[in-house]
């Protein structure tokens, strides 16, 4: 067994345990392996261990690896990094999902650049919940107008929301933030019944995210080790 395979098994067990604790079905939590800065060779080890969903942050780096790994059937690539307008075409052409849409301009470009002959691009809005320092993410008062806009884009499919809550060692505070995201997710679901994705939880806060209703956890370090 490769080291990556061992780590993947550990993470899957943690997902299982967190779901059991929260009385949730583990099948409803997707593991997204975040492979930014990691080589195609290491990603291949994860693929050989059965991993299918991969998340990348840097367009150029990602596209190179997607091409190197193109012989693997059924890989699902997710773009999760900040989006510059001049990179939208490469995202529209190479990814199945994008989690980090935070403004209309980007949604509009992705919609225009997505090939209408393939399946629509799955989209999560990146939201900036209160108490967050990072500048990326749509503010709470603009979420529904952006969601409406995306919902009207033919080549995009609105799937849910993504967030990166500010790091804190305070477990209560982490739970509180995750719970507000879950509330927001439910509001979005009421308006758009197809919404099924709450992308939250990373290596250092996965159990709390799952307890609060995450349906997709984005795990890098716990699978591939520290990044340089
Ligand atoms: C890097 C990154 C992750 C993974 O973080 P880890 O702490 O290594 O698990 C998840 N989500 C986003 C948006 C990232 O940029």
């Amino acid at each position: 067994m490769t080291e990556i395979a061992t780590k993947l098994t550990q993470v899957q067990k943690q997902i299982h345990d967190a779901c059991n604790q929260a009385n949730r079905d583990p099948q409803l939590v997707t593991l997204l392996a975040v492979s930014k800065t990691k080589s195609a060779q290491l990603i291949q080890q994860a693929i050989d261990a059965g991993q299918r969903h991969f998340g990348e942050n840097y367009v150029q780096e990602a596209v190179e690896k997607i091409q190197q790994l193109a012989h693997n059937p059924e890989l699902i690539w997710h773009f999760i990094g900040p989006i510059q307008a001049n990179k939208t075409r490469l995202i529209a052409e190479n990814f199945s999902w994008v989690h980090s849409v935070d403004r209309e301009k980007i949604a509009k470009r992705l919609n225009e650049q997505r090939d209408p002959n393939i399946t629509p691009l799955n989209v999560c809005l990146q939201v900036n919940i209160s108490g967050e320092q990072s500048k990326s993410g749509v503010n709470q008062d603009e979420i529904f107008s952006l969601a409406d806009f995306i919902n009207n884009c033919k080549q995009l499919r609105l799937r849910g929301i993504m967030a990166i809550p500010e790091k804190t060692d305070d477990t209560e505070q982490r739970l509180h933030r995750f719970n507000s995201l879950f509330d927001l997710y439910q509001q979005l679901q009421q308006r758009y019944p197809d919404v099924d994705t709450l992308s939250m939880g990373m290596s250092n806060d996965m159990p709390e995210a799952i307890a609060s209703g995450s349906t997709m956890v984005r795990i890098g370090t716990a699978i591939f080790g520290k990044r340089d």
Side-chain angles (χ1 to χ4, degrees):
M1 220 179 178
T2 61
E3 198 184 334
I4 303 268
T6 308
K7 295 244 185 71
L8 263 174
T9 307
Q10 284 166 359
V11 171
Q12 278 151 359
K13 181 170 184 316
Q14 285 163 3
I15 293 175
H16 233 268
D17 291 348
C19 284
N20 279 344
Q21 283 254 314
N23 243 322
R24 298 189 54 207
D25 178 359
Q27 305 262 37
L28 301 181
V29 179
T30 300
L31 172 57
L32 177 53
V34 177
S35 45
K36 63 177 178 235
T37 79
K38 301 298 175 180
S39 68
Q41 207 178 355
L42 283 180
I43 298 172
Q44 185 67 55
Q45 290 184 17
I47 298 166
D48 293 342
Q51 180 63 29
R52 291 294 172 264
H53 291 266
F54 291 91
E56 288 281 341
N57 289 57
Y58 312 106
V59 178
Q60 224 76 42
E61 178 201 325
V63 169
E64 267 176 45
K65 291 189 279 185
I66 291 171
Q67 283 163 2
Q68 284 166 7
L69 294 163
H71 57 282
N72 296 281
E74 291 172 9
L75 291 193
I76 301 155
W77 292 97
H78 300 241
F79 190 78
I80 62 174
I83 306 176
Q84 293 166 279
N86 64 357
K87 295 286 164 55
T88 51
R89 179 174 295 282
L90 283 173
I91 296 174
E93 288 175 349
N94 288 281
F95 287 82
S96 303
W97 284 71
V98 48
H99 292 223
S100 41
V101 173
D102 63 358
R103 54 199 195 275
E104 268 185 31
K105 180 186 176 183
I106 296 297
K108 183 170 182 289
R109 290 175 66 93
L110 289 170
N111 184 52
E112 287 165 359
Q113 293 164 345
R114 181 72 169 182
D115 179 352
N117 298 311
I118 59 175
T119 53
L121 185 61
N122 296 295
V123 172
C124 291
L125 304 187
Q126 183 174 349
V127 302
N128 193 330
I129 53 155
S130 46
E132 192 165 347
Q133 229 103 83
S134 130
K135 275 176 232 87
S136 35
V138 57
N139 289 326
Q140 221 147 352
D141 55 341
E142 292 163 1
I143 289 169
F144 286 94
S145 67
L146 182 57
D148 279 336
F149 184 85
I150 291 169
N151 194 51
N152 286 322
C153 290
K154 268 227 161 67
Q155 313 316 328
L156 305 182
R157 184 165 165 220
L158 180 65
R159 297 295 294 266
I161 55 177
M162 184 274 258
I164 315 170
E166 190 189 340
K167 277 206 172 69
T168 164
D169 291 333
D170 184 340
T171 312
E172 282 302 307
Q173 195 158 38
R174 283 188 342 209
L175 269 174
H176 179 75
R177 294 204 179 121
F178 284 143
N179 287 334
S180 348
L181 286 162
F182 184 70
D183 284 347
L184 196 60
Y185 168 62
Q186 285 191 309
Q187 288 172 38
L188 206 64
Q189 232 174 7
Q190 276 172 9
R191 190 135 143 188
Y192 310 102
D194 284 350
V195 160
D196 59 1
T197 303
L198 177 54
S199 166
M200 65 181 191
M202 304 176 23
S203 294
N204 61 354
D205 57 14
M206 190 179 75
E208 293 101 308
I210 290 175
S212 303
S214 167
T215 70
M216 199 178 281
V217 290
R218 308 180 309 270
I219 308 298
T221 311
I223 296 170
F224 293 106
K226 276 207 162 59
R227 289 175 292 272
D228 303 324

